[in-house]
Amino acid sequence: MSISKGKFISFEGIDGCGKSTQVKMLVNAMNNTERNTILVREPGGTIISEEIRQILLHRHISNISDRTEALLMTGSRAQLTYEVIMPKLINGQNVIADRFYDSTLAYQGGGRKLDLDWLIKLNHFATYDLEPDVTFLIDILPEEASKRKSKEGDRIERAGIELQTLVRDTYLELSIRFKERIVVIDGHDTIENIHSLIIEELKRKQIIQ
Ligand code: ADP
């Protein structure tokens, strides 16, 4: 669904792939010309969503069921979409998301083995059918990502290489299923090269000038 005048760009990939680094660089680049681009991160971004984030990423909670995790993630996303993303887009601002709904498909679908098609429906419900104009999947080997991350990860990051491998494989499957929307970028490249590739792709798709 396209409700908007602004553009909606999301970034995905396993923990440590370099998403946050690229998101910040892109927001800065887009705001260099016109100051009309905002950054949101998942889970979080509204008071309700940040409260949910605390539950999801809290180091001392280890017994969240897979379904609870999926519902909390999408609950956080629904509030973020309703309260922030849709109003900004309607207002003509661009929104860049550090994770959006492919994360649920990759982590809860691929990682936790919940039914992917059902999660896709849940996502549509949570996002009021809003989809990013383009999604950059920064693809990297889990071993390389793990080297980049500090030893003290949050609850999800500590789950290890095995989970990250399942998540990465699912992301790559999604990039085939949703090939019109998802652009795969090699995350092993340098920070500057990746940024340039992203800018090139956004120009090619006429999302930026
Ligand atoms: P994510 O948000 O995907 O978890 P970050 O952007 O926080 O990843 O990056 C994780 C770490 O890897 C950071 O220390 C960052 O500086 C570093 N990093 C990011 N991109 C690259 C890259 N292309 N090559 C080498 N190191 C990188």
Side-chain angles (χ1 to χ4, degrees):
M1 179 175 93
S2 181
I3 45 151
S4 56
K5 292 184 284 177
K7 296 295 182 190
F8 182 25
I9 303 164
S10 67
F11 280 75
E12 299 282 353
I14 62 173
D15 295 312
C17 71
K19 288 180 304 302
S20 311
T21 306
Q22 293 301 328
V23 160
K24 279 180 215 140
M25 287 171 86
L26 183 60
V27 171
N28 286 340
M30 286 174 72
N31 278 335
N32 265 344
T33 42
E34 272 178 273
R35 299 203 62 81
N36 65 349
T37 302
I38 67 143
L39 163 61
V40 294
R41 70 162 184 177
E42 281 217 334
T46 69
I47 291 173
I48 291 170
S49 309
E50 289 292 340
E51 291 284 332
I52 298 174
R53 181 185 180 91
Q54 289 308 314
I55 300 170
L56 281 166
L57 302 185
H58 203 285
R59 286 193 178 79
H60 307 295
I61 300 176
S62 57
N63 64 341
I64 291 182
S65 87
D66 296 345
R67 292 182 187 205
T68 309
E69 191 174 71
L71 290 167
L72 286 175
M73 283 286 184
T74 46
S76 163
R77 178 168 313 128
Q79 191 66 28
L80 181 69
T81 305
Y82 178 78
E83 201 180 313
V84 180
I85 300 176
M86 289 200 297
K88 295 285 183 196
L89 291 174
I90 289 167
N91 203 23
Q93 286 175 277
N94 304 311
V95 177
I96 300 181
D98 189 343
R99 294 195 178 285
F100 197 61
Y101 69 44
D102 299 298
S103 288
T104 300
L105 306 180
Y107 282 84
Q108 277 72 52
R112 311 275 189 224
K113 304 282 185 231
L114 297 183
D115 183 76
L116 204 60
D117 288 311
W118 195 84
L119 288 174
I120 289 172
K121 282 197 193 123
L122 180 63
N123 259 337
H124 277 293
F125 180 72
T127 63
Y128 300 76
D129 289 330
L130 177 72
E131 283 188 13
D133 293 292
V134 61
T135 298
F136 290 104
L137 168 58
I138 305 192
D139 180 53
I140 189 177
L141 285 168
E143 292 77 8
E144 176 62 27
S146 150
K147 274 189 229 153
R148 290 184 188 172
K149 297 301 282 186
S150 65
K151 287 207 174 72
E152 213 207 324
D154 60 36
R155 188 181 64 80
I156 290 175
E157 283 164 356
R158 276 205 308 267
I161 298 277
E162 207 175 309
L163 172 65
Q164 299 293 331
T165 302
L166 285 173
V167 172
R168 178 192 181 217
D169 291 347
T170 309
Y171 268 131
L172 290 172
E173 283 164 28
L174 292 171
S175 74
I176 295 166
R177 183 160 174 177
F178 302 113
K179 61 178 183 299
E180 300 301 315
R181 174 173 60 84
I182 300 180
V183 177
V184 184
I185 304 260
D186 182 1
H188 302 92
D189 210 339
T190 65
I191 291 175
E192 290 71 25
N193 282 353
I194 294 173
H195 177 65
S196 303
L197 281 172
I198 289 167
I199 297 284
E200 253 172 52
E201 189 61 28
L202 289 173
K203 285 185 177 163
R204 204 181 62 76
K205 288 182 174 290
Q206 300 186 324
I207 287 176
I208 59 172
Q209 303 290 310

